[in-house]
Amino acid sequence: MSITTKGIVFSAIKYGEADLIVKCFTQKSGLKTYLLRGVLKSRKGKIKASLFQPLTQIEIVANHKDKGTLEYMKDAKLENMYQSLHTNVVKSTVVMFLSEVLRNAVREEEANPALYNYLETSLEWFDTQEKTVNFHLLFLLKLSRYLGFYPDVPLRKYPVFNLLDGTFQEVETNDACVSDENVVLLQRLLGTDFDELSSIKLNQVTRSGFLLMLLSYYEIHLQGFHKPKSLAVLNEIYN
């Protein structure tokens, strides 16, 4: 079936000498993987390899067999040109980290318009802002809503957060409970929008500690999820 859809690039891996295997989260068809033959050597082809940088927003014309196999992309063009995500060193490092998280976390092979809209709008916000040092923290927290394990907000007044069931409680009941400064920051972020992020001041130790808690939360709730390899690079860039 031929389809035209917007998509966000999650990854592009070189295959052989001239091919790319590209994983995209598409607006109309969910997660799709495409084999692009000869794209790394062809200068005259419709599809340019430069389109497939991490988290680039593109428009795709493709044939989808919807059988869980590699799909065929007929054409692609830039949907939204970022101003800074691939040129600013700090932002590009965050993009690399988030794309790895998304590859591990998003597995839906069907349309999810709400998730697509969240990714699209939050990345566009990130691209246009200058003070974004805590963006990845709020991005991951909000992403958990679309993945099905957003924390239980009504109970957030309690001092303990249970990573196993995503609820706040009065006392610790298992080894997956957290009751340190990470809980205070979590409570604050649950009531924060991206536009309010600049008001939250964190040092690197606090930021790193909270991110590790978030990634542990993801590991508990997503089978097969693991801490991104690019985490070390992210920590280094913020140090």
Side-chain angles (χ1 to χ4, degrees):
M1 179 180 71
S2 181
I3 188 170
T4 300
T5 179
K6 293 195 290 185
I8 297 173
V9 177
F10 280 3
S11 65
I13 300 172
K14 184 178 180 182
Y15 181 70
E17 292 189 1
D19 303 340
L20 277 181
I21 294 178
V22 176
K23 183 172 291 187
C24 291
F25 185 67
T26 69
Q27 186 181 46
K28 294 183 179 179
S29 303
L31 194 63
K32 290 293 178 184
T33 305
Y34 302 93
L35 175 59
L36 306 182
R37 294 196 178 278
V39 69
L40 295 177
K41 287 190 174 180
S42 175
R43 295 183 179 181
K44 297 181 179 180
K46 291 183 180 180
I47 303 176
K48 305 300 182 184
S50 58
L51 286 173
F52 304 106
Q53 296 183 73
L55 303 187
T56 299
Q57 296 180 30
I58 59 178
E59 182 183 86
I60 298 165
V61 180
N63 287 333
H64 288 169
K65 296 179 180 179
D66 297 325
K67 294 182 179 179
T69 56
L70 294 174
E71 307 285 14
Y72 173 65
M73 187 183 295
K74 295 192 290 185
D75 198 2
K77 64 181 182 180
L78 199 61
E79 171 66 21
N80 179 51
M81 182 177 292
Y82 294 137
Q83 300 175 28
S84 62
L85 292 197
H86 294 136
T87 55
N88 178 289
V89 174
V90 174
K91 286 187 178 182
S92 64
T93 303
V94 174
V95 163
M96 178 177 64
F97 170 76
L98 293 180
S99 66
E100 189 176 353
V101 171
L102 289 166
R103 288 199 304 273
N104 289 331
V106 178
R107 301 161 190 172
E108 297 183 63
E109 296 183 3
E110 57 185 28
N112 185 334
L115 174 56
Y116 189 90
N117 182 66
Y118 170 68
L119 297 178
E120 181 181 57
T121 55
S122 58
L123 290 171
E124 289 172 1
W125 182 92
F126 184 39
D127 180 50
T128 59
Q129 304 299 309
E130 293 184 6
K131 297 180 179 180
T132 59
V133 68
N134 297 320
F135 170 79
H136 58 299
L137 304 181
L138 189 57
F139 178 90
L140 292 180
L141 180 58
K142 288 182 176 292
L143 178 64
S144 69
R145 179 190 299 277
Y146 302 94
L147 300 178
F149 52 94
Y150 193 65
D152 190 356
V153 176
L155 297 176
R156 66 178 178 176
K157 64 180 180 180
Y158 294 123
V160 176
F161 183 63
N162 188 332
L163 294 172
L164 282 178
D165 56 17
T167 61
F168 293 90
Q169 52 197 50
E170 294 185 84
V171 296
E172 295 187 16
T173 55
N174 56 52
D175 292 339
C177 286
V178 182
S179 57
D180 53 18
E181 63 178 358
N182 286 325
V183 178
V184 177
L185 179 54
L186 175 61
Q187 292 165 332
R188 186 174 182 187
L189 286 175
L190 285 172
T192 300
D193 291 324
F194 285 116
D195 287 335
E196 302 168 322
L197 262 181
S198 60
S199 66
I200 298 179
K201 310 297 182 183
L202 305 176
N203 60 41
Q204 174 55 17
V205 172
T206 301
R207 185 181 300 110
S208 178
F210 185 79
L211 179 57
L212 286 176
M213 186 193 76
L214 275 181
L215 293 175
S216 295
Y217 189 45
Y218 270 63
E219 285 182 298
I220 289 171
H221 291 273
L222 294 174
Q223 185 176 4
F225 183 88
H226 52 82
K227 289 183 176 66
K229 295 178 181 179
S230 55
L231 177 61
V233 181
L234 182 72
N235 286 334
E236 183 67 26
I237 203 76
Y238 278 132
N239 280 334

